[in-house]
Amino acid sequence: KELITPTYCQPVDADGVGNCPLPDCCKNQPTVVGPEACAIGDLPSISFKGNTSTLTSDTKAMLATVASKLKASANCNISITGYPAASKASQALCSKRTQAIKQYLMEKEGISSDRISTNCEIGGGDANTIDIKSINK
């Protein structure tokens, strides 16, 4: 029988992770950093009343805040998500609402359309609420 003697430094363990110390030539290498994470904080949820997709003055003020955060953070995009019921009428209303918000941000606030995605997730939340969330580019 042959015995294997464990050593302090194994090039790679069972998980594929090495535990040997770095050689001197590699200790002072610059760290490569990926793109900066989007950190614009919490964004508002927009509530609609009844079967309307009209933006109120309060909603427009909230969207102006969203736009200013986006303008200050070029590495951020947003998703606008509604939560319709399973009926076609509810889904159509959700689409109108998310598009109204997107159009306002593009036309009145100057946000590029490629920074805004819209989505309607059936049953994901309140049918009269539209959530705005930040996402990394």
Side-chain angles (χ1 to χ4, degrees), residues 97-116:
R97 289 172 172 173
T98 57
Q99 286 302 316
I101 292 170
K102 182 175 181 175
Q103 286 299 117
Y104 184 84
L105 288 169
M106 289 169 28
E107 294 172 6
K108 302 293 183 189
E109 297 293 340
I111 303 299
S112 174
S113 66
D114 63 353
R115 297 185 68 191
I116 306 168

Side-chain angles (χ1 to χ4, degrees), residues 6-69:
T7 59
Y8 165 72
C9 172
Q10 295 293 323
V12 179
D13 65 13
D15 294 323
V17 178
N19 62 5
C20 293
L22 286 175
D24 289 337
C25 66
C26 298
K27 287 183 181 175
N28 294 321
Q29 294 292 323
T31 305
V32 177
V33 178
E36 187 180 327
C38 178
I40 58 176
D42 290 335
L43 297 174
S45 292
I46 308 295
S47 293
F48 287 88
K49 288 185 167 68
N51 289 329
T52 180
S53 60
T54 304
L55 303 179
T56 66
S57 57
D58 286 346
T59 299
K60 291 175 182 178
M62 287 191 276
L63 293 176
T65 302
V66 170
S68 67
K69 288 182 176 187

